[in-house]
Amino acid sequence: MAYTFDAQIVSDLHKDAYGCRPSAFWWQCWNEATDDERQAEWDDLLDVSARRYALEQEDERIALEGFEKELAQIREINPRLTEAEAIAYMTPIEFEDNPNLNSQDVEHWVWQNGILFTERGRQIVELVKQIHGVK
């Protein structure tokens, strides 16, 4: 049997799959496992990681759909608003005239909307930073 597991990155794969590093008990089991058992665990981690990624992609799609729907509703109420003006309307009131506003604040707001790690989310971050004068 050809083994594809990599003991050097299995901790990273575990984190991708379950959102945390392996426990001491998991490491004990890993260290005591045969190569066949390690390969089975590796394959399981790959499967769980792939399923988790697919779910995250679906969550982002749904969040982006909701964000775009809210944006469209704002522009429907006032068709003269540009996209930037409508997005400015959507941002928290604390963003207005706030000299302490920073990139992390903007990214957090976009993250709360569930779209930070999408291409559109990155565009929104840059647009909001521009709107509010964040460097």
Side-chain angles (χ1 to χ4, degrees), residues 48-95:
V48 171
S49 182
R51 284 185 279 136
R52 181 180 174 138
Y53 179 77
L55 290 172
E56 288 171 354
Q57 294 297 302
E58 180 63 9
D59 288 347
E60 285 178 348
R61 186 193 65 74
I62 290 167
L64 188 55
E65 199 173 87
F67 183 89
E68 295 294 357
K69 182 177 180 181
E70 182 179 352
L71 183 60
Q73 288 172 337
I74 290 167
R75 293 187 76 190
E76 191 175 298
I77 291 168
N78 188 346
R80 295 178 308 208
L81 291 178
T82 65
E83 180 178 75
E85 291 168 332
I87 288 172
Y89 181 81
M90 293 170 69
T91 61
I93 192 79
E94 295 83 16
F95 283 18

Side-chain angles (χ1 to χ4, degrees), residues 1-68:
M1 173 178 200
Y3 298 110
T4 60
F5 68 85
D6 185 339
Q8 299 299 313
I9 62 169
V10 70
S11 178
D12 296 334
L13 182 56
H14 188 284
K15 188 169 188 239
D16 289 346
Y18 295 112
C20 62
R21 298 286 180 188
S23 67
F25 177 74
W26 187 94
W27 276 116
Q28 181 180 354
C29 293
W30 175 265
N31 290 330
E32 294 172 359
T34 66
D35 282 349
D36 286 344
E37 291 167 334
R38 287 180 184 177
Q39 186 62 52
E41 177 68 11
W42 179 265
D43 293 343
D44 184 54
L45 289 170
L46 286 172
D47 183 53
V48 171
S49 182
R51 284 185 279 136
R52 181 180 174 138
Y53 179 77
L55 290 172
E56 288 171 354
Q57 294 297 302
E58 180 63 9
D59 288 347
E60 285 178 348
R61 186 193 65 74
I62 290 167
L64 188 55
E65 199 173 87
F67 183 89
E68 295 294 357

